Amino acid sequence: MKDTLLPFLKDEKPPPKNFFTHGILPGYIEAEQLPTKKKPFSTIWGLRWLHTVDILLPVELREAVQKELAAWKVEELRYAKVIMSLGDIVEGDFFNEYVKKGVLRLELDKATYERAGLVGKPIPDGGRKHIKSRFAIELDLRHPSMIRGKKLFDRMVYAFKNVLNQSLTWLFRDCRTKTSVKEMNVDDAAPIEKHHPRWIASRPVESAIPGIRTLNLPNMAQSEEEESKPIPAFDDKEYISALEEQLALIALDSPRVLVNDTIDPYLCRYAPTSPPYVVVGNTAAEIAQQRSENAYNNEALEKIDLVRLRYHGFLQAEFVVKLFAAIKHAAKKEHGQKEFGQKETSSSQTENDHEVPRTWFAMLAHGFEDEHETVLGLTNKRAEQIHFLEWFHQKRL
């Protein structure tokens, strides 16, 4: 497994951290004992809460994934939108039932922070100019001093009633329950019901994306002798960045990745990845000439049909890890049985020639803290492992 920090051009702002990792996924994963330490699972756990997860699949893999999701009991989740103030959170049954054993995190501007009277830490601004100072406050409600009558708790209550007293819209989910949408019988006696929440079912939305230009996927090792050798494509940072960009455009349903895309190169110079991975021309005329001369290899001009499953809402990292593991198992079961969006290897190829990956799937996850991750899973015909490529982006300071 190898981590690479992708370089970006310097500008006035400190650049975000962009990490690329490639490795091999575990051969077997238990639904009740999900991995936590190995990548890409450790990265997903680090996102904590997410608002959008996109799953990209070749259409031939759709049925197998649906069956595996049902077998793993990866069902729709529910969460609530509720209007409350911070004072409501630390009062009565709601505090004792949901909040008392957690950590409350606040991010305030300088003026509000000084008025609140709570102890926090300044958030680094990376040396940027014209940026107002902000402060982060963490209140560990499990601390022994966090009980009524103690100075720290009373100071917090005073700040919530006199300074931070505005009503806000919150997303709420009780992580202790495994209730699915099919069992959405709300307990009227639950403390949350006092605040009249609006319950929302987080169901996946399936969309067909036909006519996508075949991805130029890297070749995996085909034999035990090749397992120890580096894969050249992983050292090509320009290609790796372009491949992630292509996956992101597919998830956005962009017409730029369609085989029949005919946009004027004067308006858009983007071209999907294929050897030599990027368009060489610098002018619109040169780009148009390359396209007319079929600059991409024949395989890259083949089209495939994809399916996108989109989960949007208040998603927990545990749910996303389980979702990814179930899709990985589905790909493993279907591995080697069918071709998923790639051409058959011709009989004229020798044993030393590389084959394109046989099965692939991708997950794009977006967290609430401007962090997002892309994971691409790849298999091939001879190898029994599923390789993964992971891109992880952290927000600017």
Side-chain angles (χ1 to χ4, degrees), residues 156-174:
M156 178 185 68
V157 173
Y158 175 85
F160 290 172
K161 287 187 176 181
N162 297 278
V163 181
L164 307 172
N165 51 10
Q166 302 90 347
S167 293
L168 304 171
T169 300
W170 300 79
L171 299 179
F172 171 86
R173 171 166 164 74
D174 190 350

Side-chain angles (χ1 to χ4, degrees), residues 150-379:
K150 294 286 187 178
K151 186 180 296 186
L152 181 58
F153 188 90
D154 291 344
R155 187 190 306 167
M156 178 185 68
V157 173
Y158 175 85
F160 290 172
K161 287 187 176 181
N162 297 278
V163 181
L164 307 172
N165 51 10
Q166 302 90 347
S167 293
L168 304 171
T169 300
W170 300 79
L171 299 179
F172 171 86
R173 171 166 164 74
D174 190 350
C175 301
R176 301 169 301 178
T177 63
K178 302 295 183 181
T179 306
S180 66
V181 174
K182 299 177 182 179
E183 303 169 348
M184 283 185 64
N185 298 321
V186 180
D187 183 5
D188 294 334
I192 184 66
E193 292 302 315
K194 176 184 176 182
H195 303 280
H196 310 288
R198 180 167 67 91
W199 291 98
I200 302 172
S202 181
R203 296 184 174 93
V205 178
E206 181 176 321
S207 304
I209 310 179
I212 299 295
R213 187 187 296 271
T214 301
L215 276 72
N216 178 38
L217 300 175
N219 295 320
M220 300 292 103
Q222 306 295 324
S223 64
E224 294 181 0
E225 292 77 11
E226 294 180 352
E227 287 292 340
S228 59
K229 297 180 181 179
I231 300 175
F234 294 161
D235 294 325
D236 189 339
K237 297 177 181 178
E238 191 172 5
Y239 162 69
I240 289 298
S241 298
L243 179 59
E244 185 203 13
E245 182 181 30
Q246 187 174 1
L247 291 171
L249 289 174
I250 293 174
L252 291 172
D253 205 7
S254 170
R256 302 289 79 79
V257 293
L258 299 177
V259 168
N260 57 0
D261 179 41
T262 56
I263 189 171
D264 192 317
Y266 180 80
L267 300 175
C268 180
R269 296 171 55 184
Y270 171 79
T273 61
S274 66
Y277 310 133
V278 293
V279 175
V280 179
N282 294 318
T283 67
E286 290 175 336
I287 297 172
Q289 182 180 0
Q290 288 182 43
R291 288 177 175 171
S292 63
E293 293 176 357
N294 193 8
Y296 311 105
N297 58 16
N298 292 332
E299 181 178 273
L301 289 174
E302 291 289 329
K303 69 176 182 178
I304 57 174
D305 297 330
L306 302 180
V307 173
R308 183 189 66 195
L309 298 178
R310 169 165 290 179
Y311 292 82
H312 184 72
F314 196 34
L315 308 175
Q316 195 175 0
E318 179 182 2
F319 171 80
V320 180
V321 171
K322 192 173 184 179
L323 174 67
F324 180 79
I327 296 173
K328 176 261 178 188
H329 271 256
K332 182 74 171 179
K333 288 183 179 180
E334 293 293 314
H335 165 63
Q337 298 180 9
K338 299 178 182 179
E339 283 292 339
F340 297 118
Q342 303 291 348
K343 292 178 63 178
E344 282 283 358
T345 305
S346 64
S347 57
S348 61
Q349 281 187 307
T350 65
E351 290 297 317
N352 294 327
D353 289 337
H354 289 285
E355 297 177 7
V356 295
R358 303 274 294 185
T359 312
W360 69 271
F361 58 92
M363 183 184 76
L364 295 86
H366 303 268
F368 280 97
E369 298 182 3
D370 294 334
E371 299 173 329
H372 61 275
E373 177 186 29
T374 302
V375 183
L376 175 66
L378 303 168
T379 67

Side-chain angles (χ1 to χ4, degrees), residues 84 87-101 148 172 174 176 188-195:
M84 301 173 63
D88 296 329
I89 289 179
V90 296
E91 287 185 352
D93 294 337
F94 189 93
F95 176 75
N96 295 327
E97 182 71 16
Y98 304 123
V99 186
K100 192 173 183 179
K101 296 182 179 181
R148 298 190 184 277
F172 171 86
D174 190 350
R176 301 169 301 178
D188 294 334
I192 184 66
E193 292 302 315
K194 176 184 176 182
H195 303 280

